[in-house]
Amino acid sequence: MTLKLRAAALIALALVAAVVVAVRPDAPALAADGRYSAEIRRTEYGLPHVSAKDYGGLGFGYGYAFAQDNLCVLASWVVTLRGERSRYFGPKAQSDDPARPVANLVSDVYYKSVADSGVVRRLLSQPPPVGPSDELRRLVDGYVAGYNRYLEQTGATNLPDPTCRGKSWVGPITATDIWNNILDLDRMASSSQLKEYIVGEAEAEGAPPGPAPGSNGWALGRRATRDGHGMLLADPHFPWNGIRRFYQVQLTIPGVLDVSGGSLYGMPVVQIGHNATMAWTHTVSHAQRFTLYRLDLVDPTSYRVDGRTEPMGRQQVQVALQDGTVVDHTLLTSRYGPVLAAGHTDKVAYALADANAANLRAADEWLAMAKSRNLAELTAAQAAHQGMPFVHTLATDAGGSAYFADASVVPHVTDAQAERCAKPSPLPGLEEYVLDGSTSACLWGKDRDAVVPGIFGPASQPRLTRADYVANSNNTSWMTNPSAPLTGYPLVWGKARTDLEPRPRVSLDMIAQRLSGTDGLGAPGFTLETLQATSQGKRNYTFELMRPDLLKLCRTGSELTTSDGERVDVGEACRTLAAWDGRATLDAKGAILWREFFTRLERPTKPGDPVFSPWRVPFDPAQPLTTPRGLKHDDPVVRQALAEAVLSFQTNHIPLTLTPGQAQRYSSIPIPGCTEGEGCFDRVRMRGRLGADGRYPEVDTGSSFMMAVELTPDGPRTRTILTYSLSTDPGSPHHTDQTALFSRGQWVTERFTEAEIAADPKLTTTTVRG
C-alpha cells in the first residue's frame, strides 16, 4: 500500500512526558529600567559583538543584529512554523526546509498540528530543566523584540534584501515562533525529518531520510599540542542556505557571560563556541532518536495494549490556501505518538515515538555550557539539562583535557528489549527500530538520573576524557580515540566495530600524522597554525587508498571497454590521475575526473543485485584504521567505470584536467574540496551530477562555521571562517566576503577581548533600544 491518502491524513503529536504544574504567564521580560538596551559593535566582515547589562537586553541586541543581516530567512521560516506556506506560496511548491524540503501542504499540516497541539505552551508552564530557565525566557523575549524593532524602524517595504522586501508574509514575530523554532531544531533528526510519513504523503517503498547534516570535531589535550594548551577544531557541515545556516556572534553580559561562536538562525544562544577558558563543538551522532511501535488494531481508530482497547486521539487541522479556501485534515495519534500511514492495514498500524518530541532543554544547556569555566562545569551543565537533541559534544579547557560525550537524547531501549519486542518494519531502513506496541512491557525504560522518563541518563552515555585527543567525523563513538575504543553500549547508540568510512578514517590519520610530525608541517604536535593547515589539507582519502592499484590498472593498456561495449582510450586520463597529488584544491587537475570515476564504482552490477564494492581488501573490524583499502583493478566493473567516466568527459568535450575551481561554485565563487563518499575531511556537496558544461549544481552543504581555538594562559587565540559569509542579503558587503576567503584557504582572526575589538580600524558601534 502507498502512503498517498485522501485529505484526512494521519499525523499526531507529541510525547510530552511532564509533571502538571500551575501555568506561569510567559510575559515579556524587559530590562531593569523597563526598556531593552544593547550595544552592537561590528568588526571586520561585519561580525557582531553584542553586549548588554542583562539577558533581555542581550537578546534584544542579538535579534536586532541578526535581522539586519538575515531577516528574510527567518521571516520565511516563521511562515513555515505557523503552517502558512500554502497560503502565501501555494500548496504544491517546495517548503524552505534546507535539510529535507517537502510540499508546502505537507509542511503546513505538520507544523499546524505542532502549533495546535499545545506542546510548547505545556513546556513553558513547567519549571527548569523541563521548562526554560528565566534567563532563557528573557533572551527569547529580547531576541523577538530586537528583530521586531529593526523591522519597525526599516519597514517591510524598505528592507534592503529584495528577497522579502514588501512581501505580505513579512511581519512581526512572537516568542512562540522562536520556541517553535527551538523545538523544531531539537526534532531535526526525528519527527521533522519524517513529515511525509507522518502526514501520509510519501510512498511506502521510499526509504526514510538519513542522518541530519554532518560535521568534524577535534578536541586536543595537552599531550597533543606543542605548548600543552587545550585546542579545539569545530567544523560543522550544515546547509549553506536557509534556516540551518550559522550566524557568528559574540554575546557579553559583563561579569556574567562572555561567549563567542556560531548559532543556527533563529537561535538566541551560541551553540558552537568558546569563552575565555573553554571551547566546545558538536558532530551529528548515529544514535537513534525514535522508535516505531506496531499497533494491534481493533478497528480503524483503536488498538490493543495489554489486552485492553485504547482509542486513537483525533486532531482537526485546517490549512488555508492561496485562493482563500481551507483544507481540513483529521489527524490520529496513539499513546506512543503519531500514527503513520506506512504499513497501515486493517490489522496493524505504526506509531512514531520521538524522544525529542517535547524537548526545549537544548537551548538552556547551550547557555549553561557557555557560562562553564572548565570541563567539570560543562559536564554538570549537560547532566542538569540533558537536552542535546542529536549531537556528540567535544570540548577542551584551559587545563588541557579533551572531552567527548554522546550526551544526546536517546530512547531507553536495551538490546534485550529490542530483540524481545522486535516487529517487522513498514519502511526500508527502519528494521532495527520497530517495537511491539501491544504490550506495556515494550515501553521505553527509565534511568534514575534521567531528567525525563524514557531516555538514557548521563551514567549510561558513551564518554571519554583524554590528555591527548578525542575526535569524531560522524562515525559511531567507538573510535573516538583508537587507543581507548568505546564499546559495550546498547545498539541504540550506534554499532561498534563497523566500517569507519573514509572521512572518519582520514580524520584520524590526519591527527596521527600531525602527532608524529610526518605530514610535512614541521615538528610533532599541534599549534594553532598547524591545526588550521591540517584541517584544510583537502586530502582525498579514497584516491590515496586506491592509487597504487589504479596505476596497475593503467599499466594494463590504454584502451578499456564500457558496459555497452564501446572502446575508450583512457591513456590521457591515466596520465592525469598519475600526476595528481590527491588533494582537492582549486587547481587540482584530476580531482573531478577521480570523482566521476569513483562515483561510478559503487553501483549494482545489474538491477536487483547487491551494491558492488570496489575495495580489494575488505573491512576487518580488527584493523579499522587500515581497512578497507586497495582497488579491484582487475574487476570488469572497475575497468568499465573508468571507461565510462572518461567517455562522459569526451562526449561533452570536457577536459580531463577539469579542476574543482572550474566545476564547483557558490554565488559565482569557486569552491575547493571533494565529497563525503570520496573521503574528504573538509567536504562539499552539490545536489546533482556534473553537467555537460563541466559544472555541478551550486554547492549547498559542507564546512560551514569553522573555528580553531587555542586556550592559552593569556586568553583564547581563535581563527574562524564562515564559509557562506554573514549575510544572505545579496546587496550586503558581507554577502560573500568570507566566502572569497574560504575559497583561498584563508581565515579570520577573531577579536574576543575588549582590547582586540577596540583595535579594529573598521569598528562600528551602535546602541539600540526598545
Side-chain angles (χ1 to χ4, degrees):
M1 134 180 210
T2 69
L3 298 184
K4 295 287 185 182
L5 296 181
R6 58 188 182 276
L10 299 173
I11 191 178
L13 286 146
L15 295 160
V16 180
V19 178
V20 177
V21 297
V23 175
R24 300 191 314 181
D26 186 28
L30 300 180
D33 60 357
R35 295 176 59 85
Y36 292 112
S37 178
E39 184 177 74
I40 303 171
R41 292 177 292 175
R42 290 188 183 261
T43 52
E44 303 106 322
Y45 306 99
L47 299 177
H49 307 258
V50 181
S51 59
K53 63 183 180 181
D54 53 31
Y55 284 100
L58 189 65
F60 184 83
Y62 189 9
Y64 191 99
F66 176 84
Q68 287 179 305
D69 296 315
N70 299 294
L71 181 141
C72 290
V73 177
L74 184 53
S76 176
W77 188 245
V78 165
V79 174
T80 301
L81 293 171
R82 294 176 180 177
E84 296 178 346
R85 297 201 68 80
S86 297
R87 173 186 173 189
Y88 292 106
F89 306 109
K92 295 182 180 180
Q94 291 286 287
S95 70
D96 59 346
D97 186 333
R100 188 172 173 84
V102 296
N104 282 336
L105 183 58
V106 174
S107 177
D108 289 342
V109 171
Y110 174 78
Y111 285 111
K112 273 279 190 180
S113 65
V114 174
D116 293 349
S117 72
V119 57
V120 166
R121 182 181 66 254
R122 290 192 294 273
L123 290 171
L124 292 176
S125 73
Q126 298 180 61
V130 176
S133 67
D134 289 338
E135 292 87 351
L136 181 61
R137 292 172 192 263
R138 292 196 291 270
L139 267 177
V140 168
D141 289 335
Y143 188 94
V144 168
Y147 175 102
N148 290 340
R149 179 62 170 163
Y150 172 77
L151 179 60
E152 177 187 21
Q153 288 178 338
T154 307
T157 58
N158 298 313
L159 289 171
D161 190 344
T163 307
C164 67
R165 183 190 302 140
K167 301 297 184 182
S168 60
W169 44 269
V170 176
I173 63 174
T174 69
T176 299
D177 294 323
I178 298 302
W179 293 119
N180 279 331
N181 182 51
I182 295 171
L183 177 67
D184 188 67
L185 174 63
D186 290 352
R187 292 179 172 194
M188 184 175 165
S190 47
S191 295
S192 291
Q193 286 292 289
L194 294 166
K195 297 182 187 75
E196 305 105 310
Y197 301 91
I198 294 172
V199 173
E201 293 295 330
E203 298 297 327
E205 61 270 18
S215 304
N216 299 311
W218 295 350
L220 306 173
R222 54 190 175 274
R223 293 182 182 173
T225 61
R226 191 87 58 81
D227 296 324
H229 303 152
M231 298 176 67
L232 182 119
L233 174 69
D235 182 19
H237 295 171
F238 265 54
W240 284 24
N241 300 289
I243 197 68
R244 300 305 179 212
R245 283 170 47 126
F246 281 94
Y247 188 75
Q248 188 174 350
V249 69
Q250 182 175 1
L251 301 176
T252 304
I253 301 175
V256 176
L257 175 72
D258 194 10
V259 60
S260 183
S263 60
L264 295 173
Y265 284 15
M267 293 292 292
V269 295
V270 168
Q271 295 168 280
I272 290 176
H274 72 89
N275 54 34
T277 57
M278 198 197 70
W280 78 94
T281 188
H282 300 292
T283 62
V284 173
S285 161
H286 280 258
Q288 299 309 310
R289 310 299 156 196
F290 60 89
T291 65
L292 299 186
Y293 277 96
R294 193 177 79 164
L295 307 179
D296 181 9
L297 295 182
V298 176
D299 55 49
T301 59
S302 62
Y303 57 98
R304 297 181 187 87
V305 179
D306 297 333
R308 294 186 293 273
T309 298
E310 292 188 6
M312 293 181 184
R314 298 173 67 87
Q315 183 188 25
Q316 299 297 126
V317 173
Q318 293 187 329
V319 174
L321 304 182
Q322 282 178 307
D323 61 5
T325 61
V326 173
V327 175
D328 292 308
H329 288 258
T330 301
L331 314 172
L332 302 178
T333 188
S334 69
R335 64 154 65 185
Y336 306 105
V339 178
L340 307 182
H344 199 137
T345 71
D346 59 351
K347 294 183 178 180
V348 299
Y350 292 82
L352 172 66
D354 183 354
N356 281 303
N359 178 15
L360 290 181
R361 303 184 302 278
D364 258 318
E365 188 166 333
W366 278 308
L367 182 58
M369 290 166 62
K371 293 187 287 186
S372 299
R373 293 166 294 181
N374 50 49
L375 289 180
E377 293 185 5
L378 180 142
T379 56
Q382 293 202 310
H385 297 282
Q386 300 175 31
M388 287 295 101
F390 52 82
V391 290
H392 302 125
T393 300
L394 298 94
T396 187
D397 61 13
S401 294
Y403 166 81
F404 168 89
D406 193 341
S408 60
V409 177
V410 176
H412 194 296
V413 181
T414 65
D415 291 349
Q417 183 185 26
E419 182 177 359
R420 172 172 47 84
C421 294
K423 291 295 179 181
S425 172
L427 295 172
L430 287 180
E431 288 80 3
E432 296 177 9
Y433 327 131
V434 184
L435 306 177
D436 185 355
S438 69
T439 171
S440 56
C442 293
L443 291 171
W444 296 347
K446 298 180 181 179
D447 275 352
R448 288 187 176 183
D449 59 346
V451 297
V452 294
I455 66 172
F456 283 105
S460 301
Q461 297 167 343
R463 294 173 180 269
L464 185 64
T465 301
R466 303 275 300 180
D468 52 0
Y469 73 89
V470 292
N472 187 268
S473 291
N474 307 123
N475 45 305
T476 56
S477 57
W478 78 292
M479 279 286 105
T480 295
N481 184 304
S483 298
L486 290 170
T487 59
Y489 296 93
L491 289 175
V492 72
W493 290 98
K495 294 180 180 178
R497 301 184 178 88
T498 57
D499 186 349
L500 289 181
E501 300 184 346
R503 180 164 61 91
R505 281 180 63 188
V506 77
S507 170
L508 294 172
D509 190 65
M510 290 157 60
I511 294 173
Q513 287 193 16
R514 180 81 298 270
L515 295 183
S516 64
T518 57
D519 57 2
L521 295 176
F526 282 93
T527 64
L528 184 60
E529 291 70 28
T530 58
L531 177 59
Q532 294 172 249
T534 302
S535 67
Q536 289 193 335
K538 304 291 185 290
R539 289 173 59 184
N540 186 310
Y541 204 47
T542 56
F543 180 75
E544 292 181 25
L545 295 172
M546 292 181 170
R547 186 177 189 273
D549 287 323
L550 174 68
L551 298 182
K552 290 180 182 178
L553 185 160
C554 286
R555 286 196 291 268
T556 63
S558 63
E559 198 172 75
L560 297 176
T561 305
T562 69
S563 58
D564 294 333
E566 186 169 354
R567 302 187 71 79
V568 180
D569 186 343
V570 300
E572 183 185 351
C574 284
R575 289 188 291 274
T576 298
L577 291 171
W580 179 39
D581 66 0
R583 295 182 183 266
T585 54
L586 285 178
D587 59 354
K589 298 177 180 179
I592 303 303
L593 175 60
W594 171 259
R595 181 183 307 165
E596 291 302 300
F597 165 54
F598 184 80
T599 55
R600 286 170 168 81
L601 289 176
E602 295 185 335
R603 61 179 186 181
T605 53
K606 294 179 182 178
D609 284 357
V611 173
F612 170 76
S613 172
W615 298 104
R616 177 172 51 81
V617 179
F619 172 70
D620 179 354
Q623 303 178 66
L625 302 182
T626 57
T627 61
R629 65 178 181 271
L631 176 67
K632 294 176 180 175
H633 58 87
D634 290 330
D635 194 291
V637 173
V638 173
R639 300 170 70 85
Q640 290 167 5
L642 181 57
E644 290 166 3
V646 173
L647 181 61
S648 70
F649 279 75
Q650 295 174 348
T651 301
N652 293 305
H653 305 288
I654 300 172
L656 294 166
T657 55
L658 183 71
T659 66
Q662 295 167 328
Q664 300 171 174
R665 300 282 171 136
Y666 179 80
S667 292
S668 300
I669 296 175
I671 301 296
C674 59
T675 61
E676 174 82 16
E678 295 172 89
C680 244
F681 181 77
D682 40 346
R683 59 124 181 172
V684 294
R685 185 185 72 180
M686 296 73 62
R687 292 181 186 267
R689 301 297 300 272
L690 184 68
D693 60 352
R695 292 280 189 91
Y696 291 104
E698 189 164 271
V699 173
D700 75 341
T701 302
S703 297
S704 46
F705 171 63
M706 298 185 70
M707 180 181 72
V709 185
E710 180 181 16
L711 299 171
T712 78
D714 297 324
R717 296 177 61 223
T718 309
R719 307 291 183 266
T720 65
I721 189 73
L722 194 60
T723 57
Y724 33 66
S725 304
L726 190 72
S727 176
T728 53
D729 176 4
S732 169
H734 309 302
H735 181 57
T736 58
D737 53 355
Q738 288 197 62
T739 310
L741 293 182
F742 177 69
S743 176
R744 299 191 296 267
Q746 297 175 314
W747 299 65
V748 176
T749 298
E750 183 192 75
R751 296 178 182 273
F752 182 74
T753 66
E754 286 296 311
E756 290 168 341
I757 295 169
D760 181 8
K762 297 184 179 180
L763 178 67
T764 64
T765 302
T766 303
T767 299
V768 291
R769 296 184 176 88

